[in-house]
Amino acid sequence: MTDAPGAPPRRPLRRLMAACVVTVLAVIALAGCGRGPVHTGNILVIAIESEADILDPHVAGGWVTWRINRQIFEPLVDENLAIPSAEAIVPPLKPALAERWQVSPDGREYTFHIRRGVRFHDGTLLDAHAVEFNIRRMWDKNFPYYSPRAAGQTTFVWKFVEDVEVVADHTLKVRLSQPFSEFLRMLAQGGSGSAAIMSPTALQTYGDDVADHPVGTGPFKFRERIRGERIDLVRNDDYWGDKPAIDGVVFRPLPDPSARTAALRSGDVDIIAVPNPDSIDNLVAEGYQLSEGVPPHTWYLSFNMRDRYMSIPQVRRAINLAIDREGMARDLLRGSVLPAWGVQAMSAGGYVERKDLFARNVAEAKRLLASVGLADGFETTLITSTDGSGQIMPTQMAEYIQQNLAEIGIKVNIQAQEWISYLGVWARGAQDGVGLVQMSWGMTSPYWLYIVTSSDLQAPSGPNTGYYGNPELDAAMHRAITAVSAEDAEKWWRIANNIVSEDDALAPIVNDKAPYVLAPYVRGFVSASEEWYDLTGVRLEQ
């Protein structure tokens, strides 16, 4: 039987091609496999939008990398990603390597009961000592295996930790200097460093090279990495939880969206991330599956508060009013995103919609510029990447904004570079002459707002790359962070969101739906309200 012209490839045809490496006619067959390595058996192949960072979860940045690291490593507390985003906006927390925990009435002491019978991929036993080793690597400057890079990436998780104590072989206490309402949710986060637990044996053995030998407790084990080509993981048959249905997963970096689409159509990959918006309807019409959700994603601009123009409130408001969010979502990105009407995403706690501040109004934008003597506009620079984790179509989106701002007399020069290099530039903060700094980020935790706007976390020591500072905001976020009740925390996060929006501290542009396109034989892939996914339930069916 053959496929109809234009129909998606049947899975068995692609898998049977792998037999070419074992047939007697090896020379002839290998010529047919010349596009690259062919993975035999029950292997899921995912085309990702950029090269990944290092496979050290404490140090690595970006969602692209955490989607891989999360399959290898696990945190103490996780989010339930088996629930589709349509059913739950913020994924509920669930036990992971901590099977249960208690919080003291004053919110300053957390007692974690570490899951028994779990081993790392190298055979090392998971216990409270292993967890303490990991925490001290990220937090304790006096610890022999302390990593400044890990501390820098995870500082917002451990910021209020006072002490870590092993109470028993499988019991650990973490004491905080103050209540931290988002501590448990932050333990489950990833993207800019993660609190996932690594094998202490591997950390001691490999030191700074541990990223080349990643060892966790997760459902998949590291097998091989060829930079620029693939990262291979295999199923952990000794996994303590529900074992994956697939034998392994291969992540293939293909930064060109057209190349990802071609790889899906040819049967070389089973899932593609970040499809070109123009290709989605055609792929669905051909029989491929579209999976999207409501992740806590905001594609946004930081204003450089040290810049002569961006430090003027009326200029920031004018820029926010000039940007056509609805037009970008509809025309450029073909409905694969939603216009951002708030600084945080809808799937984050404390979300506040402020369409009154972010809906387009060119006339008002021009009036505001004229009111501060800038009726003729000015020139500035916007920095962005060419690809990357959650970046969607960054250069095209920057060009769209460039056209919008030209309408009110602002000339925008765009500087773009490859994602991993851009992360380093972004982390240094806005430099002289740069008025706008682009990033795509967010968390289900409203604590993200503190990370990107707090006076305490201004670049280069923190991710507040625009150097924004506001004592009123800092006070509101402090009330939210130290709240003991969830209701009080939510109230103060909403107040904080309103302050940030009304002060035009950032320019939120769009919220990504994180679309994936799947071959028709892929089953069990769930788009939860998060920027990463759980692959344990994914199946490949005939």
Side-chain angles (χ1 to χ4, degrees):
M1 180 182 293
T2 59
D3 290 329
R10 288 183 171 84
R11 176 179 162 263
L13 294 180
R14 180 169 74 83
R15 304 301 172 182
L16 287 174
M17 286 177 62
C20 65
V21 299
V22 295
T23 181
V24 176
L25 300 176
V27 175
I28 298 174
L30 283 172
C33 295
R35 291 189 177 183
V38 175
H39 299 273
T40 62
N42 188 27
I43 306 294
L44 177 71
V45 184
I46 304 176
I48 58 179
E49 62 267 42
S50 73
E51 176 63 287
D53 199 351
I54 62 175
L55 301 183
D56 177 340
H58 301 165
V59 173
W63 290 319
V64 163
T65 309
W66 177 236
R67 291 174 195 134
I68 301 169
N69 277 333
R70 189 188 183 277
Q71 315 309 321
I72 305 171
F73 303 98
E74 298 174 290
L76 293 175
V77 181
D78 206 351
E79 294 176 318
N80 187 349
L81 301 185
I83 303 174
S85 60
E87 298 178 23
I89 290 296
V90 180
L93 295 177
K94 70 173 187 177
L97 294 185
E99 59 184 0
R100 65 185 191 282
W101 52 83
Q102 291 95 34
V103 184
S104 63
D106 65 358
R108 292 183 53 191
E109 186 172 277
Y110 288 73
T111 301
F112 296 98
H113 300 276
I114 309 304
R115 194 174 295 278
R116 296 175 181 270
V118 177
R119 290 190 178 273
F120 292 92
H121 302 153
D122 60 5
T124 301
L125 181 68
L126 171 73
D127 59 13
H129 296 282
V131 175
E132 180 197 26
F133 188 106
N134 276 259
I135 295 175
R136 291 193 181 278
R137 184 195 186 221
M138 295 177 270
W139 162 75
D140 185 357
K141 293 181 180 179
N142 297 316
F143 186 57
Y145 296 93
Y146 173 77
S147 167
R149 292 182 67 195
Q153 286 289 82
T154 61
T155 180
F156 44 83
V157 180
W158 311 112
K159 182 176 175 65
F160 306 112
V161 172
E162 249 183 6
D163 188 32
V164 180
E165 177 189 1
V166 174
V167 178
D169 283 349
H170 287 82
T171 306
L172 184 83
K173 282 191 177 181
V174 178
R175 295 188 181 91
L176 308 180
S177 59
Q178 63 174 54
F180 183 14
S181 58
E182 290 298 307
F183 184 51
L184 293 175
R185 177 71 61 173
M186 291 306 299
L187 290 176
Q189 292 297 304
S192 180
S194 161
I197 305 301
M198 308 172 69
S199 164
T201 302
L203 288 166
Q204 290 171 310
T205 301
Y206 299 110
D208 291 339
D209 296 327
V210 72
D212 296 325
H213 309 274
V215 181
T217 59
F220 293 92
K221 300 188 292 185
F222 175 76
R223 179 176 179 237
E224 182 183 29
R225 178 174 191 172
I226 301 177
R227 287 190 175 273
E229 291 187 21
R230 69 184 195 271
I231 295 174
D232 292 9
L233 310 182
V234 297
R235 181 174 59 207
N236 176 15
D237 288 328
D238 297 319
Y239 184 54
W240 61 268
D242 294 333
K243 294 178 178 56
I246 52 177
D247 295 334
V249 56
V250 177
F251 295 91
R252 289 185 55 193
L254 293 174
D256 181 359
S258 297
R260 292 195 294 276
T261 299
L264 181 67
R265 283 189 167 125
S266 69
D268 289 340
V269 304
D270 306 306
I271 298 176
I272 61 172
V274 197
N276 188 313
D278 289 332
S279 71
I280 293 176
D281 288 345
N282 288 336
L283 288 168
V284 171
E286 293 167 22
Y288 294 93
Q289 306 173 75
L290 173 63
S291 180
E292 57 185 14
V294 190
H297 172 286
T298 302
W299 198 101
Y300 68 98
L301 304 176
S302 294
F303 295 103
N304 181 2
M305 298 297 172
R306 298 177 180 176
D307 181 79
R308 59 178 292 197
Y309 299 116
M310 302 305 161
S311 61
I312 303 171
Q314 291 88 340
V315 169
R316 301 196 301 272
R317 176 62 54 83
I319 289 173
N320 262 321
L321 291 174
I323 295 172
D324 186 2
R325 294 162 174 83
E326 289 181 304
M328 180 185 289
R330 180 187 63 245
D331 302 328
L332 177 64
L333 301 176
R334 304 293 184 184
S336 62
V337 302
L338 297 170
W341 303 127
V343 172
Q344 292 195 237
M346 291 178 286
S347 51
Y351 170 72
V352 177
E353 180 180 299
R354 293 301 304 266
K355 195 170 183 178
D356 59 314
L357 299 176
F358 299 120
R360 195 173 200 224
N361 188 333
V362 174
E364 177 63 9
K366 289 180 177 179
R367 187 196 70 78
L368 286 167
L369 289 182
S371 73
V372 291
L374 293 171
D376 295 329
F378 57 89
E379 185 172 350
T380 191
T381 295
L382 184 160
I383 62 172
T384 186
S385 68
T386 57
D387 58 4
S389 179
Q391 291 289 81
I392 314 174
M393 298 169 61
T395 51
Q396 295 94 325
M397 294 166 74
E399 289 165 357
Y400 194 96
I401 292 169
Q402 182 185 53
Q403 294 170 8
N404 288 164
L405 297 188
E407 294 181 46
I408 61 171
I410 300 177
K411 179 182 178 182
V412 177
N413 302 308
I414 299 171
Q415 294 179 0
Q417 60 190 127
E418 173 273 332
W419 172 240
I420 299 300
S421 299
Y422 179 68
L423 281 176
V425 171
W426 173 83
R428 290 198 295 269
Q431 303 298 298
D432 291 343
V434 173
L436 300 164
V437 179
Q438 185 273 322
M439 183 47 63
S440 54
W441 199 5
M443 294 179 179
T444 52
S445 170
Y447 187 61
W448 176 80
L449 190 71
Y450 171 83
I451 293 170
V452 297
T453 63
S454 168
S455 301
D456 293 338
L457 292 175
Q458 291 183 5
S461 59
N464 181 352
T465 55
Y467 317 107
Y468 178 72
N470 183 332
E472 182 187 5
L473 172 66
D474 290 339
M477 293 193 295
H478 178 75
R479 295 288 297 270
I481 289 166
T482 57
V484 175
S485 77
E487 293 77 16
D488 279 349
E490 175 75 9
K491 178 186 76 173
W492 283 104
W493 283 122
R494 290 178 63 84
I495 291 171
N497 264 288
N498 276 317
I499 293 171
V500 169
S501 296
E502 291 166 5
D503 202 19
D504 295 282
L506 303 172
I509 309 300
V510 297
N511 301 132
D512 192 13
K513 294 181 183 178
Y516 293 86
V517 179
L518 292 60
Y521 49 78
V522 177
R523 296 288 183 268
F525 183 89
V526 175
S527 288
S529 295
E530 194 47 278
E531 282 291 348
W532 45 91
Y533 39 70
D534 182 352
L535 294 178
T536 56
V538 174
R539 307 180 308 281
L540 301 176
E541 297 181 350
Q542 184 169 335

